[in-house]
Amino acid sequence: MKLIILDRDGVINHDSDAFIKSPEEWVPIKGSLEAIARLNQAGYRVVVATNQSGIARGLFDMPTLTAIHQKMHDAAQHVGAEIDAIFFCPHAADDNCDCRKPKAGMFHDIGKRFDISLRGGVATVGDSLRDLQAGFIAGCAPYLVLTGKGEKTREKGGLPPGTLVYPNLAAVVDFLLKKPVELSV
């Protein structure tokens, strides 16, 4: 099985320093949903792993998060894309949970849910250092996109070893789908 793990805000949709608090505020980045459709057509299962501390902060509730994710699913399906699952952390940074990125708890849960080792072959795409750190700790290959907070993340440095940098999700997908297939003997 081919699997890819995407952050949501700043990778699939435009980010906001004030959080995405309603379905109306969720606006896809141009080409991101079509990139997911191309991944699906190439046999990838697409999973979203997203910190959503706005819940712990009282900025929005679970029904609102569900409505935001339903809008994302509907928009994806409109262009022939399928998001297989969404994993999210509703906790604040000071809750010290295992699921909040940069910790790898969500990634380990994804590996268990899909019965796949994340080591070596699973790509993770994010726009922040914590996205990449969580994926790297879990064994994923990290990809930084320059959308969302990506430019600032690149400028700050300290990226996990082997991080590849691309302008957006569509460019990451172009790279992944043109990557030569390794044959095992």
PDB file of all heavy atoms in Angstrom, residues 50-86:
ATOM      1  N   THR A  50      -3.552  16.603  11.599  1.00  0.00           N
ATOM      2  CA  THR A  50      -3.615  18.038  11.859  1.00  0.00           C
ATOM      3  C   THR A  50      -3.804  18.362  13.341  1.00  0.00           C
ATOM      4  O   THR A  50      -4.612  17.732  14.015  1.00  0.00           O
ATOM      5  CB  THR A  50      -4.746  18.683  11.006  1.00  0.00           C
ATOM      6  OG1 THR A  50      -4.835  20.073  11.292  1.00  0.00           O
ATOM      7  CG2 THR A  50      -6.096  18.024  11.240  1.00  0.00           C
ATOM      8  N   ASN A  51      -3.019  19.314  13.835  1.00  0.00           N
ATOM      9  CA  ASN A  51      -3.241  19.859  15.173  1.00  0.00           C
ATOM     10  C   ASN A  51      -4.420  20.813  15.087  1.00  0.00           C
ATOM     11  O   ASN A  51      -4.459  21.674  14.202  1.00  0.00           O
ATOM     12  CB  ASN A  51      -2.018  20.645  15.649  1.00  0.00           C
ATOM     13  CG  ASN A  51      -0.861  19.766  16.071  1.00  0.00           C
ATOM     14  OD1 ASN A  51      -0.991  18.567  16.226  1.00  0.00           O
ATOM     15  ND2 ASN A  51       0.300  20.378  16.251  1.00  0.00           N
ATOM     16  N   GLN A  52      -5.365  20.670  15.981  1.00  0.00           N
ATOM     17  CA  GLN A  52      -6.534  21.560  16.016  1.00  0.00           C
ATOM     18  C   GLN A  52      -6.758  22.059  17.447  1.00  0.00           C
ATOM     19  O   GLN A  52      -7.769  21.777  18.081  1.00  0.00           O
ATOM     20  CB  GLN A  52      -7.767  20.832  15.461  1.00  0.00           C
ATOM     21  CG  GLN A  52      -7.682  20.537  13.988  1.00  0.00           C
ATOM     22  CD  GLN A  52      -7.587  21.799  13.146  1.00  0.00           C
ATOM     23  OE1 GLN A  52      -8.280  22.775  13.391  1.00  0.00           O
ATOM     24  NE2 GLN A  52      -6.715  21.792  12.143  1.00  0.00           N
ATOM     25  N   SER A  53      -5.783  22.828  17.933  1.00  0.00           N
ATOM     26  CA  SER A  53      -5.865  23.340  19.312  1.00  0.00           C
ATOM     27  C   SER A  53      -6.961  24.379  19.485  1.00  0.00           C
ATOM     28  O   SER A  53      -7.279  24.755  20.613  1.00  0.00           O
ATOM     29  CB  SER A  53      -4.519  23.918  19.751  1.00  0.00           C
ATOM     30  OG  SER A  53      -4.221  25.089  19.003  1.00  0.00           O
ATOM     31  N   GLY A  54      -7.555  24.836  18.388  1.00  0.00           N
ATOM     32  CA  GLY A  54      -8.687  25.759  18.491  1.00  0.00           C
ATOM     33  C   GLY A  54      -9.826  25.165  19.310  1.00  0.00           C
ATOM     34  O   GLY A  54     -10.602  25.894  19.931  1.00  0.00           O
ATOM     35  N   ILE A  55      -9.920  23.850  19.328  1.00  0.00           N
ATOM     36  CA  ILE A  55     -10.944  23.181  20.152  1.00  0.00           C
ATOM     37  C   ILE A  55     -10.629  23.419  21.630  1.00  0.00           C
ATOM     38  O   ILE A  55     -11.482  23.873  22.392  1.00  0.00           O
ATOM     39  CB  ILE A  55     -11.033  21.678  19.816  1.00  0.00           C
ATOM     40  CG1 ILE A  55     -11.604  21.504  18.407  1.00  0.00           C
ATOM     41  CG2 ILE A  55     -11.896  20.957  20.843  1.00  0.00           C
ATOM     42  CD1 ILE A  55     -11.600  20.085  17.909  1.00  0.00           C
ATOM     43  N   ALA A  56      -9.393  23.126  22.054  1.00  0.00           N
ATOM     44  CA  ALA A  56      -9.006  23.316  23.458  1.00  0.00           C
ATOM     45  C   ALA A  56      -9.082  24.786  23.855  1.00  0.00           C
ATOM     46  O   ALA A  56      -9.380  25.098  25.014  1.00  0.00           O
ATOM     47  CB  ALA A  56      -7.595  22.785  23.687  1.00  0.00           C
ATOM     48  N   ARG A  57      -8.838  25.665  22.906  1.00  0.00           N
ATOM     49  CA  ARG A  57      -8.861  27.109  23.192  1.00  0.00           C
ATOM     50  C   ARG A  57     -10.286  27.669  23.213  1.00  0.00           C
ATOM     51  O   ARG A  57     -10.474  28.839  23.519  1.00  0.00           O
ATOM     52  CB  ARG A  57      -8.056  27.859  22.139  1.00  0.00           C
ATOM     53  CG  ARG A  57      -6.598  27.515  22.114  1.00  0.00           C
ATOM     54  CD  ARG A  57      -5.956  28.067  20.840  1.00  0.00           C
ATOM     55  NE  ARG A  57      -4.642  27.534  20.641  1.00  0.00           N
ATOM     56  CZ  ARG A  57      -3.524  28.230  20.757  1.00  0.00           C
ATOM     57  NH1 ARG A  57      -3.577  29.497  21.074  1.00  0.00           N
ATOM     58  NH2 ARG A  57      -2.368  27.672  20.551  1.00  0.00           N
ATOM     59  N   GLY A  58     -11.275  26.848  22.828  1.00  0.00           N
ATOM     60  CA  GLY A  58     -12.656  27.299  22.816  1.00  0.00           C
ATOM     61  C   GLY A  58     -13.009  28.175  21.613  1.00  0.00           C
ATOM     62  O   GLY A  58     -14.031  28.858  21.619  1.00  0.00           O
ATOM     63  N   LEU A  59     -12.186  28.119  20.564  1.00  0.00           N
ATOM     64  CA  LEU A  59     -12.445  28.937  19.372  1.00  0.00           C
ATOM     65  C   LEU A  59     -13.504  28.315  18.471  1.00  0.00           C
ATOM     66  O   LEU A  59     -14.152  29.011  17.702  1.00  0.00           O
ATOM     67  CB  LEU A  59     -11.148  29.147  18.584  1.00  0.00           C
ATOM     68  CG  LEU A  59     -10.034  29.878  19.338  1.00  0.00           C
ATOM     69  CD1 LEU A  59      -8.761  29.907  18.511  1.00  0.00           C
ATOM     70  CD2 LEU A  59     -10.478  31.290  19.707  1.00  0.00           C
ATOM     71  N   PHE A  60     -13.620  26.986  18.537  1.00  0.00           N
ATOM     72  CA  PHE A  60     -14.662  26.265  17.814  1.00  0.00           C
ATOM     73  C   PHE A  60     -14.872  24.932  18.506  1.00  0.00           C
ATOM     74  O   PHE A  60     -14.072  24.522  19.344  1.00  0.00           O
ATOM     75  CB  PHE A  60     -14.340  26.095  16.314  1.00  0.00           C
ATOM     76  CG  PHE A  60     -12.989  25.482  16.031  1.00  0.00           C
ATOM     77  CD1 PHE A  60     -12.842  24.107  15.906  1.00  0.00           C
ATOM     78  CD2 PHE A  60     -11.865  26.282  15.866  1.00  0.00           C
ATOM     79  CE1 PHE A  60     -11.608  23.537  15.636  1.00  0.00           C
ATOM     80  CE2 PHE A  60     -10.619  25.721  15.593  1.00  0.00           C
ATOM     81  CZ  PHE A  60     -10.490  24.350  15.477  1.00  0.00           C
ATOM     82  N   ASP A  61     -15.968  24.258  18.167  1.00  0.00           N
ATOM     83  CA  ASP A  61     -16.305  23.002  18.827  1.00  0.00           C
ATOM     84  C   ASP A  61     -16.210  21.834  17.835  1.00  0.00           C
ATOM     85  O   ASP A  61     -15.917  22.026  16.656  1.00  0.00           O
ATOM     86  CB  ASP A  61     -17.693  23.084  19.466  1.00  0.00           C
ATOM     87  CG  ASP A  61     -18.794  23.463  18.478  1.00  0.00           C
ATOM     88  OD1 ASP A  61     -18.581  23.359  17.240  1.00  0.00           O
ATOM     89  OD2 ASP A  61     -19.868  23.862  18.944  1.00  0.00           O
ATOM     90  N   MET A  62     -16.444  20.644  18.349  1.00  0.00           N
ATOM     91  CA  MET A  62     -16.339  19.439  17.510  1.00  0.00           C
ATOM     92  C   MET A  62     -17.306  19.455  16.324  1.00  0.00           C
ATOM     93  O   MET A  62     -16.904  19.100  15.210  1.00  0.00           O
ATOM     94  CB  MET A  62     -16.530  18.171  18.352  1.00  0.00           C
ATOM     95  CG  MET A  62     -15.319  17.806  19.183  1.00  0.00           C
ATOM     96  SD  MET A  62     -13.833  17.471  18.201  1.00  0.00           S
ATOM     97  CE  MET A  62     -14.408  16.102  17.233  1.00  0.00           C
ATOM     98  N   PRO A  63     -18.575  19.851  16.511  1.00  0.00           N
ATOM     99  CA  PRO A  63     -19.455  19.910  15.336  1.00  0.00           C
ATOM    100  C   PRO A  63     -18.932  20.864  14.250  1.00  0.00           C
ATOM    101  O   PRO A  63     -19.072  20.591  13.058  1.00  0.00           O
ATOM    102  CB  PRO A  63     -20.793  20.393  15.913  1.00  0.00           C
ATOM    103  CG  PRO A  63     -20.768  19.922  17.333  1.00  0.00           C
ATOM    104  CD  PRO A  63     -19.322  20.078  17.757  1.00  0.00           C
ATOM    105  N   THR A  64     -18.298  21.960  14.662  1.00  0.00           N
ATOM    106  CA  THR A  64     -17.736  22.891  13.678  1.00  0.00           C
ATOM    107  C   THR A  64     -16.545  22.253  12.962  1.00  0.00           C
ATOM    108  O   THR A  64     -16.430  22.363  11.734  1.00  0.00           O
ATOM    109  CB  THR A  64     -17.322  24.209  14.361  1.00  0.00           C
ATOM    110  OG1 THR A  64     -18.472  24.773  15.000  1.00  0.00           O
ATOM    111  CG2 THR A  64     -16.749  25.197  13.350  1.00  0.00           C
ATOM    112  N   LEU A  65     -15.680  21.572  13.708  1.00  0.00           N
ATOM    113  CA  LEU A  65     -14.548  20.882  13.069  1.00  0.00           C
ATOM    114  C   LEU A  65     -15.066  19.838  12.092  1.00  0.00           C
ATOM    115  O   LEU A  65     -14.545  19.698  10.974  1.00  0.00           O
ATOM    116  CB  LEU A  65     -13.641  20.244  14.123  1.00  0.00           C
ATOM    117  CG  LEU A  65     -12.402  19.535  13.547  1.00  0.00           C
ATOM    118  CD1 LEU A  65     -11.486  20.507  12.812  1.00  0.00           C
ATOM    119  CD2 LEU A  65     -11.645  18.820  14.656  1.00  0.00           C
ATOM    120  N   THR A  66     -16.100  19.115  12.486  1.00  0.00           N
ATOM    121  CA  THR A  66     -16.699  18.124  11.587  1.00  0.00           C
ATOM    122  C   THR A  66     -17.221  18.790  10.320  1.00  0.00           C
ATOM    123  O   THR A  66     -17.034  18.277   9.211  1.00  0.00           O
ATOM    124  CB  THR A  66     -17.828  17.361  12.311  1.00  0.00           C
ATOM    125  OG1 THR A  66     -17.259  16.687  13.442  1.00  0.00           O
ATOM    126  CG2 THR A  66     -18.501  16.351  11.403  1.00  0.00           C
ATOM    127  N   ALA A  67     -17.844  19.950  10.454  1.00  0.00           N
ATOM    128  CA  ALA A  67     -18.363  20.674   9.288  1.00  0.00           C
ATOM    129  C   ALA A  67     -17.224  21.167   8.383  1.00  0.00           C
ATOM    130  O   ALA A  67     -17.335  21.112   7.144  1.00  0.00           O
ATOM    131  CB  ALA A  67     -19.223  21.849   9.741  1.00  0.00           C
ATOM    132  N   ILE A  68     -16.132  21.616   8.985  1.00  0.00           N
ATOM    133  CA  ILE A  68     -14.961  22.033   8.197  1.00  0.00           C
ATOM    134  C   ILE A  68     -14.425  20.843   7.409  1.00  0.00           C
ATOM    135  O   ILE A  68     -14.155  20.938   6.203  1.00  0.00           O
ATOM    136  CB  ILE A  68     -13.865  22.627   9.108  1.00  0.00           C
ATOM    137  CG1 ILE A  68     -14.336  23.952   9.713  1.00  0.00           C
ATOM    138  CG2 ILE A  68     -12.557  22.802   8.339  1.00  0.00           C
ATOM    139  CD1 ILE A  68     -13.464  24.454  10.863  1.00  0.00           C
ATOM    140  N   HIS A  69     -14.296  19.705   8.080  1.00  0.00           N
ATOM    141  CA  HIS A  69     -13.772  18.515   7.402  1.00  0.00           C
ATOM    142  C   HIS A  69     -14.742  17.991   6.354  1.00  0.00           C
ATOM    143  O   HIS A  69     -14.315  17.475   5.318  1.00  0.00           O
ATOM    144  CB  HIS A  69     -13.393  17.452   8.427  1.00  0.00           C
ATOM    145  CG  HIS A  69     -12.145  17.807   9.174  1.00  0.00           C
ATOM    146  ND1 HIS A  69     -11.794  17.237  10.371  1.00  0.00           N
ATOM    147  CD2 HIS A  69     -11.166  18.698   8.891  1.00  0.00           C
ATOM    148  CE1 HIS A  69     -10.651  17.744  10.779  1.00  0.00           C
ATOM    149  NE2 HIS A  69     -10.253  18.645   9.912  1.00  0.00           N
ATOM    150  N   GLN A  70     -16.026  18.130   6.588  1.00  0.00           N
ATOM    151  CA  GLN A  70     -16.997  17.727   5.570  1.00  0.00           C
ATOM    152  C   GLN A  70     -16.858  18.598   4.329  1.00  0.00           C
ATOM    153  O   GLN A  70     -16.937  18.103   3.202  1.00  0.00           O
ATOM    154  CB  GLN A  70     -18.430  17.803   6.109  1.00  0.00           C
ATOM    155  CG  GLN A  70     -19.456  17.217   5.148  1.00  0.00           C
ATOM    156  CD  GLN A  70     -19.177  15.751   4.827  1.00  0.00           C
ATOM    157  OE1 GLN A  70     -19.040  14.927   5.722  1.00  0.00           O
ATOM    158  NE2 GLN A  70     -19.061  15.413   3.543  1.00  0.00           N
ATOM    159  N   LYS A  71     -16.640  19.891   4.527  1.00  0.00           N
ATOM    160  CA  LYS A  71     -16.421  20.785   3.381  1.00  0.00           C
ATOM    161  C   LYS A  71     -15.174  20.350   2.611  1.00  0.00           C
ATOM    162  O   LYS A  71     -15.173  20.337   1.382  1.00  0.00           O
ATOM    163  CB  LYS A  71     -16.282  22.234   3.839  1.00  0.00           C
ATOM    164  CG  LYS A  71     -16.062  23.189   2.670  1.00  0.00           C
ATOM    165  CD  LYS A  71     -15.961  24.640   3.098  1.00  0.00           C
ATOM    166  CE  LYS A  71     -15.734  25.533   1.878  1.00  0.00           C
ATOM    167  NZ  LYS A  71     -15.562  26.944   2.276  1.00  0.00           N
ATOM    168  N   MET A  72     -14.101  19.980   3.339  1.00  0.00           N
ATOM    169  CA  MET A  72     -12.875  19.522   2.682  1.00  0.00           C
ATOM    170  C   MET A  72     -13.142  18.248   1.885  1.00  0.00           C
ATOM    171  O   MET A  72     -12.716  18.131   0.735  1.00  0.00           O
ATOM    172  CB  MET A  72     -11.767  19.302   3.716  1.00  0.00           C
ATOM    173  CG  MET A  72     -10.451  18.863   3.104  1.00  0.00           C
ATOM    174  SD  MET A  72      -9.070  18.807   4.284  1.00  0.00           S
ATOM    175  CE  MET A  72      -9.615  17.538   5.417  1.00  0.00           C
ATOM    176  N   HIS A  73     -13.851  17.288   2.495  1.00  0.00           N
ATOM    177  CA  HIS A  73     -14.185  16.044   1.781  1.00  0.00           C
ATOM    178  C   HIS A  73     -15.012  16.334   0.533  1.00  0.00           C
ATOM    179  O   HIS A  73     -14.747  15.787  -0.543  1.00  0.00           O
ATOM    180  CB  HIS A  73     -14.964  15.081   2.692  1.00  0.00           C
ATOM    181  CG  HIS A  73     -14.124  14.291   3.634  1.00  0.00           C
ATOM    182  ND1 HIS A  73     -13.163  13.389   3.221  1.00  0.00           N
ATOM    183  CD2 HIS A  73     -14.117  14.240   4.984  1.00  0.00           C
ATOM    184  CE1 HIS A  73     -12.598  12.827   4.275  1.00  0.00           C
ATOM    185  NE2 HIS A  73     -13.157  13.337   5.355  1.00  0.00           N
ATOM    186  N   ASP A  74     -16.020  17.184   0.673  1.00  0.00           N
ATOM    187  CA  ASP A  74     -16.887  17.507  -0.468  1.00  0.00           C
ATOM    188  C   ASP A  74     -16.103  18.181  -1.589  1.00  0.00           C
ATOM    189  O   ASP A  74     -16.274  17.838  -2.767  1.00  0.00           O
ATOM    190  CB  ASP A  74     -18.049  18.416  -0.029  1.00  0.00           C
ATOM    191  CG  ASP A  74     -19.035  17.710   0.892  1.00  0.00           C
ATOM    192  OD1 ASP A  74     -19.003  16.454   0.984  1.00  0.00           O
ATOM    193  OD2 ASP A  74     -19.837  18.426   1.526  1.00  0.00           O
ATOM    194  N   ALA A  75     -15.243  19.131  -1.236  1.00  0.00           N
ATOM    195  CA  ALA A  75     -14.439  19.832  -2.244  1.00  0.00           C
ATOM    196  C   ALA A  75     -13.477  18.860  -2.932  1.00  0.00           C
ATOM    197  O   ALA A  75     -13.279  18.921  -4.151  1.00  0.00           O
ATOM    198  CB  ALA A  75     -13.671  20.987  -1.600  1.00  0.00           C
ATOM    199  N   ALA A  76     -12.902  17.953  -2.155  1.00  0.00           N
ATOM    200  CA  ALA A  76     -12.002  16.949  -2.729  1.00  0.00           C
ATOM    201  C   ALA A  76     -12.760  16.050  -3.703  1.00  0.00           C
ATOM    202  O   ALA A  76     -12.314  15.826  -4.838  1.00  0.00           O
ATOM    203  CB  ALA A  76     -11.356  16.124  -1.619  1.00  0.00           C
ATOM    204  N   GLN A  77     -13.902  15.545  -3.275  1.00  0.00           N
ATOM    205  CA  GLN A  77     -14.688  14.655  -4.134  1.00  0.00           C
ATOM    206  C   GLN A  77     -15.148  15.353  -5.404  1.00  0.00           C
ATOM    207  O   GLN A  77     -15.260  14.724  -6.456  1.00  0.00           O
ATOM    208  CB  GLN A  77     -15.866  14.086  -3.356  1.00  0.00           C
ATOM    209  CG  GLN A  77     -15.417  13.089  -2.307  1.00  0.00           C
ATOM    210  CD  GLN A  77     -16.530  12.635  -1.383  1.00  0.00           C
ATOM    211  OE1 GLN A  77     -17.622  13.181  -1.386  1.00  0.00           O
ATOM    212  NE2 GLN A  77     -16.222  11.626  -0.568  1.00  0.00           N
ATOM    213  N   HIS A  78     -15.364  16.660  -5.320  1.00  0.00           N
ATOM    214  CA  HIS A  78     -15.798  17.442  -6.486  1.00  0.00           C
ATOM    215  C   HIS A  78     -14.761  17.397  -7.617  1.00  0.00           C
ATOM    216  O   HIS A  78     -15.119  17.496  -8.789  1.00  0.00           O
ATOM    217  CB  HIS A  78     -16.079  18.885  -6.070  1.00  0.00           C
ATOM    218  CG  HIS A  78     -16.633  19.726  -7.169  1.00  0.00           C
ATOM    219  ND1 HIS A  78     -17.930  19.591  -7.626  1.00  0.00           N
ATOM    220  CD2 HIS A  78     -16.049  20.696  -7.921  1.00  0.00           C
ATOM    221  CE1 HIS A  78     -18.119  20.451  -8.613  1.00  0.00           C
ATOM    222  NE2 HIS A  78     -17.006  21.135  -8.811  1.00  0.00           N
ATOM    223  N   VAL A  79     -13.482  17.226  -7.247  1.00  0.00           N
ATOM    224  CA  VAL A  79     -12.429  17.148  -8.273  1.00  0.00           C
ATOM    225  C   VAL A  79     -11.902  15.717  -8.428  1.00  0.00           C
ATOM    226  O   VAL A  79     -10.840  15.501  -9.018  1.00  0.00           O
ATOM    227  CB  VAL A  79     -11.272  18.135  -7.992  1.00  0.00           C
ATOM    228  CG1 VAL A  79     -11.765  19.569  -7.993  1.00  0.00           C
ATOM    229  CG2 VAL A  79     -10.546  17.794  -6.694  1.00  0.00           C
ATOM    230  N   GLY A  80     -12.619  14.742  -7.885  1.00  0.00           N
ATOM    231  CA  GLY A  80     -12.226  13.346  -8.034  1.00  0.00           C
ATOM    232  C   GLY A  80     -11.185  12.881  -7.040  1.00  0.00           C
ATOM    233  O   GLY A  80     -10.516  11.870  -7.273  1.00  0.00           O
ATOM    234  N   ALA A  81     -11.043  13.590  -5.926  1.00  0.00           N
ATOM    235  CA  ALA A  81     -10.057  13.227  -4.904  1.00  0.00           C
ATOM    236  C   ALA A  81     -10.750  12.581  -3.710  1.00  0.00           C
ATOM    237  O   ALA A  81     -11.910  12.866  -3.422  1.00  0.00           O
ATOM    238  CB  ALA A  81      -9.284  14.459  -4.444  1.00  0.00           C
ATOM    239  N   GLU A  82     -10.017  11.732  -3.015  1.00  0.00           N
ATOM    240  CA  GLU A  82     -10.541  11.055  -1.830  1.00  0.00           C
ATOM    241  C   GLU A  82      -9.508  11.159  -0.708  1.00  0.00           C
ATOM    242  O   GLU A  82      -8.352  10.779  -0.891  1.00  0.00           O
ATOM    243  CB  GLU A  82     -10.822   9.586  -2.137  1.00  0.00           C
ATOM    244  CG  GLU A  82     -11.464   8.830  -1.020  1.00  0.00           C
ATOM    245  CD  GLU A  82     -12.905   9.262  -0.753  1.00  0.00           C
ATOM    246  OE1 GLU A  82     -13.628   9.558  -1.716  1.00  0.00           O
ATOM    247  OE2 GLU A  82     -13.282   9.304   0.427  1.00  0.00           O
ATOM    248  N   ILE A  83      -9.946  11.682   0.426  1.00  0.00           N
ATOM    249  CA  ILE A  83      -9.109  11.690   1.626  1.00  0.00           C
ATOM    250  C   ILE A  83      -9.578  10.518   2.465  1.00  0.00           C
ATOM    251  O   ILE A  83     -10.737  10.456   2.867  1.00  0.00           O
ATOM    252  CB  ILE A  83      -9.238  13.036   2.366  1.00  0.00           C
ATOM    253  CG1 ILE A  83      -8.698  14.167   1.474  1.00  0.00           C
ATOM    254  CG2 ILE A  83      -8.516  12.984   3.705  1.00  0.00           C
ATOM    255  CD1 ILE A  83      -9.009  15.554   1.957  1.00  0.00           C
ATOM    256  N   ASP A  84      -8.677   9.566   2.684  1.00  0.00           N
ATOM    257  CA  ASP A  84      -9.053   8.312   3.332  1.00  0.00           C
ATOM    258  C   ASP A  84      -9.360   8.448   4.809  1.00  0.00           C
ATOM    259  O   ASP A  84     -10.191   7.712   5.337  1.00  0.00           O
ATOM    260  CB  ASP A  84      -7.954   7.267   3.124  1.00  0.00           C
ATOM    261  CG  ASP A  84      -7.861   6.843   1.673  1.00  0.00           C
ATOM    262  OD1 ASP A  84      -8.678   6.006   1.260  1.00  0.00           O
ATOM    263  OD2 ASP A  84      -7.001   7.374   0.946  1.00  0.00           O
ATOM    264  N   ALA A  85      -8.675   9.360   5.485  1.00  0.00           N
ATOM    265  CA  ALA A  85      -8.895   9.535   6.921  1.00  0.00           C
ATOM    266  C   ALA A  85      -8.321  10.871   7.360  1.00  0.00           C
ATOM    267  O   ALA A  85      -7.394  11.395   6.734  1.00  0.00           O
ATOM    268  CB  ALA A  85      -8.236   8.403   7.713  1.00  0.00           C
ATOM    269  N   ILE A  86      -8.891  11.394   8.436  1.00  0.00           N
ATOM    270  CA  ILE A  86      -8.372  12.607   9.064  1.00  0.00           C
ATOM    271  C   ILE A  86      -8.111  12.281  10.527  1.00  0.00           C
ATOM    272  O   ILE A  86      -9.021  11.868  11.253  1.00  0.00           O
ATOM    273  CB  ILE A  86      -9.367  13.780   8.965  1.00  0.00           C
ATOM    274  CG1 ILE A  86      -9.684  14.094   7.501  1.00  0.00           C
ATOM    275  CG2 ILE A  86      -8.810  15.014   9.678  1.00  0.00           C
ATOM    276  CD1 ILE A  86     -10.822  15.078   7.318  1.00  0.00           C
TER     277      ILE A  86
END
